[in-house]
DNA sequence: ACACAGGCCGAAT
DNA sequence: ATTCGGCCTGTG
């Protein structure tokens, strides 16, 4: 459970007891998740209605996990990645909050992203008491639509303030086109996301994967880039492979393509596994 | 001081 | 189609 919530895919679930219990909100629902034993969780909510169905979707329980593991276990490198990251689950997030989260994530860092999201919740979310704790829901699009760009700037969003402001007005333009299915019409939907000011390839892939559940996506950030250049572009000289600067190596576009070739329909899981593994064991990048 | 952080935009190849 | 400089802000 700690792997799932601390990998940096979802930013507003917190633990106060070193990973035994996690609290978070999804829309107006507060969720409490307790690790009962190695295999089972106890989950409570301020809204028990259809909670089981809700959680099955949230944790993507219908994904064939063992089949996924086999499929991405393509070589010794991935086997060691799996050894480190196995147990991690992809979370199916609420699309609006997910989109805001990843627009804010660019050229930032996880603590700062969390702080920015918390600013939005604290100022514009709904206060809910549950289990003797206070929670703030993530605001809806309507809650944020009237907020001036300057306010976002005052939260320290920097140039992302303009992106968020713009996104709030653009949001229905791609959401309401229900004729476009995020999974069936994957490429069209992804390009539509990228047309929004402030959303490029990486952020679009994250929103598409985590918010709209397209497991075929393989978001390429600097860490994935380092890993892929190190292990899956063998034509590089040793000197180039060891180069860790962002600008060196294959472009993000080619790396994403390669990731999708290698891992196919489970590319999204492979990406999160790799990300978790190198962030928690940087030594992976040194080893042969 | 200065590089860097889960990148993107716009202009110049 | 691809590459490169600049960018808000906080942290070490």
């Amino acid at each position: 459970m700690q792997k799932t919530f601390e990998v940096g895919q979802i930013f507003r679930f917190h633990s106060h007891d070193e990973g035994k219990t996690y609290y978070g909100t999804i829309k107006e629902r507060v969720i409490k998740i307790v690790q009962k034993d190695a295999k089972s969780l106890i989950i409570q909510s301020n809204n028990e209605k259809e909670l089981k169905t809700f959680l099955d979707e949230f944790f993507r329980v219908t994904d064939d996990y063992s089949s996924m593991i086999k499929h991405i276990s393509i070589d010794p490198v991935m086997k060691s990645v799996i050894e480190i990251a196995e147990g991690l689950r992809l979370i199916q997030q609420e699309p609006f909050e997910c989109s805001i989260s990843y627009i804010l994530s660019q050229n930032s860092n996880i603590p700062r992203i969390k702080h920015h999201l918390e600013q939005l919740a604290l100022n514009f979310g709904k206060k809910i008491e549950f289990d003797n704790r206070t929670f703030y829901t993530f605001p809806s699009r309507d809650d944020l639509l009237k907020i001036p760009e300057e306010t976002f700037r005052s939260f320290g969003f920097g140039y992302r303030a303009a992106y968020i402001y713009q996104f709030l007005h653009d949001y229905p333009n791609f959401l309401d086109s229900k004729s476009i299915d995020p999974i069936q019409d994957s490429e069209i939907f992804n390009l539509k996301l990228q047309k929004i000011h402030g959303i490029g390839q990486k952020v679009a892939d994250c929103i598409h994967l985590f918010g709209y559940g397209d497991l075929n996506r393989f978001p390429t950030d600097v860490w994935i880039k380092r890993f892929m250049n190190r292990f899956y572009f063998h034509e590089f000289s040793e000197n180039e492979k060891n180069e860790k600067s962002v600008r060196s190596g294959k472009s993000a576009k080619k790396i994403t393509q390669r990731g999708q070739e290698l891992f196919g329909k489970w590319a999204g899981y492979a990406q999160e596994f790799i990300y978790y593994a190198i962030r928690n064991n940087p030594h992976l990048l040194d080893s042969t």
Side-chain angles (χ1 to χ4, degrees):
Chain A
M1 175 157 83
Q2 210 161 0
K3 292 175 181 172
T4 298
F5 288 112
E6 307 287 350
V7 67
Q9 59 175 322
I10 188 163
F11 302 98
R12 281 182 18 91
F13 273 73
H14 306 296
S15 178
H16 307 282
D17 57 5
E18 285 146 7
K20 292 197 287 284
T21 308
Y22 278 90
Y23 290 96
T25 66
I26 303 106
K27 291 196 169 179
E28 308 264 304
R29 201 195 296 257
V30 184
I31 306 276
K32 178 187 184 184
I33 306 166
V34 182
Q35 185 81 251
K36 186 187 169 196
D37 53 57
K39 287 261 168 188
S40 54
L41 305 172
I42 297 173
I43 299 176
Q44 295 172 282
S45 173
N46 63 335
N47 177 4
E48 299 284 338
K49 190 185 171 193
E50 303 194 31
L51 184 58
K52 175 73 165 65
T53 310
F54 182 85
L55 292 167
D56 283 354
E57 188 193 337
F58 184 69
F59 284 113
R60 302 193 60 99
V61 295
T62 56
D63 290 345
D64 188 345
Y65 202 84
S66 59
S67 160
M68 176 277 291
I69 295 286
K70 267 187 260 176
H71 192 267
I72 69 171
S73 181
I74 56 173
D75 58 19
V77 177
M78 282 308 292
K79 282 186 203 303
S80 56
V81 165
I82 290 166
E83 205 165 306
I84 296 168
E86 187 163 7
L88 166 66
R89 297 203 70 97
L90 247 60
I91 292 295
Q92 174 60 56
Q93 300 184 36
E94 196 285 308
F96 177 72
E97 177 176 346
C98 180
S99 303
I100 300 286
S101 302
Y102 281 97
I103 293 171
L104 288 174
S105 78
Q106 60 186 78
N107 206 19
S108 187
N109 54 66
I110 291 175
R112 189 178 168 204
I113 298 163
K114 288 180 174 175
H115 178 247
H116 288 164
L117 294 170
E118 222 46 44
Q119 290 295 315
L120 293 176
L122 239 59
N123 284 282
F124 310 117
K126 183 187 285 183
K127 186 174 178 177
I128 298 180
E129 304 285 347
F130 176 72
D131 199 36
N132 295 319
R133 289 175 181 276
T134 303
F135 298 90
Y136 293 88
T137 64
F138 193 78
S140 68
R141 185 218 174 203
D142 283 343
D143 295 331
L144 296 177
L145 203 48
K146 58 182 181 292
I147 310 302
E149 181 183 325
E150 188 47 44
T151 304
F152 297 140
R153 229 165 229 285
S154 75
F155 294 155
F157 288 11
Y159 57 82
R160 302 165 200 79
Y163 297 160
I164 295 295
Y165 183 84
Q166 180 87 34
F167 175 78
L168 291 169
H169 293 77
D170 286 348
Y171 184 58
N173 293 338
F174 75 89
L175 186 75
D176 283 354
S177 52
K178 287 173 181 143
S179 52
I180 299 177
D181 182 78
I183 312 289
Q184 300 303 320
D185 312 308
S186 182
E187 292 311 313
I188 299 172
F189 185 81
N190 198 269
L191 290 174
K192 222 169 162 54
L193 277 174
Q194 290 192 50
K195 285 204 176 111
I196 296 170
H197 192 63
I199 299 183
Q201 183 196 316
K202 193 271 178 180
V203 171
D205 279 340
C206 285
I207 295 172
H208 204 164
L209 171 62
F210 301 123
Y212 292 91
D214 185 2
L215 297 183
N216 184 48
R217 292 292 137 190
F218 191 84
T220 296
D221 59 58
V222 291
W223 292 96
I224 295 297
K225 193 168 183 175
R226 286 166 190 150
F227 179 89
M228 294 295 283
N229 276 319
R230 174 70 185 80
F231 294 112
Y232 296 115
F233 288 96
H234 301 297
E235 66 270 28
F236 280 157
S237 72
E238 284 303 315
N239 191 38
E240 282 174 303
K241 278 202 286 190
N242 292 331
E243 180 55 61
K244 289 186 179 174
S245 112
V246 177
R247 296 285 187 196
S248 67
K250 293 289 183 185
S251 68
K253 189 171 185 174
K254 289 194 170 169
I255 288 170
T256 291
Q257 283 173 4
R258 194 68 203 277
Q260 291 178 319
E261 284 167 18
L262 290 171
F263 305 113
K265 65 175 183 176
W266 298 114
Y269 272 98
Q271 191 271 0
E272 274 311 275
F273 267 53
I274 292 167
Y275 185 79
Y276 179 87
I278 49 185
R279 293 316 303 271
N280 288 279
N281 189 174
H283 185 62
L284 251 185
L285 288 170
D286 313 325
S287 66
T288 51

